[in-house]
Structures are given as structure tokens and as C-alpha cells.
Amino acid sequence: MPTNTDLKPLLPTFRVLHRHAKMTRFCMALFDLSGTLHVDDHAIPGAVQAIDRLRQTGMPLRFVTNTTKESKRMLHQRLTAMGFHINPDEIFTSITAARKILEAKKWRPWLLVSDEAMEDFEGLPTNDPDAVVIGLAPEKLNYENMNKAFNMVLNDGAHLVAIHKSRYYQTKHGSALGPGAFVTGLEYATDTKAQVVGKPDAAFFLSAIPGVLSTHKLNEIVMIGDDVRDDVCGAMKAGLSAILVKTGKYREGDENKIEPHPTFIASDVVQAVQYILEEL
């Protein structure tokens, strides 16, 4: 997977392509999941049919998510139960990206992730940990664990890895605090910066599109999501086009919080897919 260092000389060119190249068609679509295609265990109305309709065009689809509440296997089962027709190989999770980084750097993690997500880290050495890995784990993000993580980073020199830094996410009961606040607190207390793995990191988006760039430009790949920073701004900084949907965590005026503005603003994923189809 590309590293941040690998991408630095390329990103300015990607941004120029996005701002100045005339878009004639999309060649691939990346979809966020929670808040874009579903909320908890309920599909956004029309989302299943919209994805099926786009798939009929033959366009490659990828589903990129920061979710750390469950393993990729469990996530796929839940999406299938909601009616989505998605191949497991089309799903790219920040947990998978985190594991790849841990393996590449040979770090031994102390995992602050949910029990449902632990199976995606099976086989990694965790004895005498030298890295703190934080995901969305409400039952584990308490003072005792935060204090332990603080001391590991500050006094023992452990690496700080954030699977993502989402501010909040949407549930059927309303908004819920994400892991970003806890990661930021540890960064502040330890005077260090976490390595962020998932969205909005450019390498995460690019890891989902191998082989496409041999015949297409980055701005011909479109990201669809409800998070204006992690989904939309992150994708556009990587050179992709991006559609912001007004479902999930969207709040009125979110589109004005980033520059440049989203490629398109849709009421929901159904309208986003219609826009993509019109471009085809």
C-alpha cells in the first residue's frame, strides 16, 4: 500500500487535475457505508436498488469504510442481510489497512478495538506491545485505558495508531461520539501525532483502486459519502471527485466547510447514483 511519503510528490498534480480537467465520465465509484448506504442495520431507502442499477453498467465498485465496530466478515454478513449484493473483495476497511501497517512495521499492538473486530487482528504478536491502536470501541475507551495508553506513548515510546479519527457517527438513536476525540486527547497529552490509517488518508483511498490509473485519471474516480471531511475532502485531496450525500452525519452547511467544494451534492445515494449515470 502506498505510504504518505510515496504520495507527497504526486498530490499537487492530482489536485490540478481535479480542479481544471473537464470531467466527461466516471470509471469507478467508491462508496462509504455507514450513513451513506445504511444506518445501523437499516438500508437507506432506495440504496440497494441504486447500487444494483449502477453495477449493471459494468462500472467497478468499491466500498471503503472506517468502521471498526466489527470484522470485515461480520460487516459483509450484515450488509447482505440488509439486501446489498456486495462481494467481500469489494470491501476495503480501515482495520485491514491497520493490520497491513502493523505487519509491515513489525509493531506489536495493544488493541483498543471492539471485541467484534478482534478477529481481523488474529495472528499478530501482541506480547510486550510497542504500539497503541485505537478504533471505535465505546466499552474500552475509558479513563483507565486512556491513562495506560498515555503512559505507553509518553514514557515507553509506544507508537500511536488511529484506525481513524472520525468526530462522530450516526446511529438510529442519533449522533454518537467517534474515536477522534480520544485520539486527539492522547496526541495533546503526549505531544505526538498519531499515524492515521483510514479515511481521510490519501493512501487508504488509493489502496482501493489498483490498476485503474493505467488507463484513467484520478478525477474520473468518484467517492460518495456523508462525511464532508473524511469522505469528501479526503478523497478530493487524493485527486478523486467526490459526492456529498445529505444523509447520515450530514449537517446543513457541511459543504461550505471545505475548499474546493464537493463535485456534487446529493440528497441521498439514490440521487448520487443518478448523477453518476447521467455522466455516463
Side-chain angles (χ1 to χ4, degrees):
M1 184 174 69
T3 65
N4 290 334
T5 302
D6 295 330
L7 295 171
K8 283 180 179 178
L10 300 176
L11 290 179
T13 302
F14 292 167
R15 294 191 186 105
V16 170
L17 279 174
H18 184 87
R19 289 176 180 174
H20 301 293
K22 178 173 172 45
M23 180 180 61
T24 57
R25 68 178 286 136
F26 293 120
C27 68
M28 172 181 276
L30 311 181
F31 287 89
D32 172 53
L33 291 176
S34 179
T36 301
L37 297 187
H38 69 91
V39 174
D40 286 343
D41 292 328
H42 301 282
I44 298 289
V48 172
Q49 295 78 10
I51 296 300
D52 288 346
R53 186 182 176 198
L54 188 58
R55 190 182 292 282
Q56 288 171 3
T57 68
M59 176 184 288
L61 308 180
R62 298 292 183 268
F63 302 87
V64 293
T65 175
N66 272 350
T67 185
T68 59
K69 295 188 295 182
E70 59 200 335
S71 67
K72 179 177 174 178
R73 177 187 62 82
M74 296 174 67
L75 173 61
H76 179 255
Q77 288 179 346
R78 196 154 62 89
L79 291 168
T80 300
M82 285 183 251
F84 289 102
H85 306 108
I86 297 174
N87 189 303
D89 293 337
E90 294 177 317
I91 301 174
F92 289 77
T93 75
S94 53
I95 293 179
T96 302
R99 178 177 184 126
K100 288 182 178 179
I101 287 175
L102 293 170
E103 289 176 332
K105 295 183 177 293
K106 298 185 177 355
W107 290 346
R108 302 177 304 279
W110 182 47
L111 297 165
L112 286 174
V113 301
S114 68
D115 292 339
E116 291 78 10
M118 289 294 286
E119 70 176 78
D120 282 355
F121 293 98
E122 286 180 359
L124 284 179
T126 56
N127 58 302
D128 190 22
D130 58 4
V132 175
V133 179
I134 299 181
L136 179 59
E139 70 281 4
K140 296 181 181 179
L141 297 179
N142 52 51
Y143 180 82
E144 181 180 358
N145 283 339
M146 288 297 97
N147 193 50
K148 178 179 177 180
F150 161 73
N151 278 285
M152 286 178 64
V153 174
L154 182 69
N155 297 321
D156 301 334
H159 306 281
L160 181 59
V161 179
I163 300 181
H164 63 87
K165 288 181 70 176
S166 292
R167 291 169 168 82
Y168 63 94
Y169 62 101
Q170 198 68 19
T171 74
K172 61 184 177 181
H173 302 296
S175 301
L177 187 66
F182 299 92
V183 175
T184 301
L186 285 173
E187 288 178 321
Y188 171 77
T190 60
D191 195 24
T192 189
K193 281 292 182 184
Q195 177 163 352
V196 182
V197 177
K199 298 178 290 185
D201 185 70
F204 180 71
F205 290 103
L206 298 182
S207 69
I209 56 175
V212 176
L213 299 182
S214 60
T215 55
H216 295 277
K217 296 177 181 178
L218 271 172
N219 68 325
E220 295 173 349
I221 301 166
V222 61
M223 172 71 202
I224 303 95
D226 66 318
D227 189 313
V228 72
R229 293 186 176 91
D230 288 356
D231 295 330
V232 176
C233 187
M236 295 180 78
K237 284 184 176 179
L240 282 61
S241 298
I243 299 174
L244 176 65
V245 295
K246 294 184 175 183
T247 54
K249 66 170 62 175
Y250 172 82
R251 293 293 181 269
E252 192 66 35
D254 275 356
E255 58 271 24
N256 298 318
K257 296 177 180 178
I258 63 170
E259 183 64 39
H261 294 319
T263 307
F264 183 69
I265 302 167
S267 58
D268 55 19
V269 68
V270 177
Q271 188 180 29
V273 167
Q274 181 60 36
Y275 173 78
I276 295 170
L277 290 171
E278 289 173 358
E279 290 297 324
L280 297 182

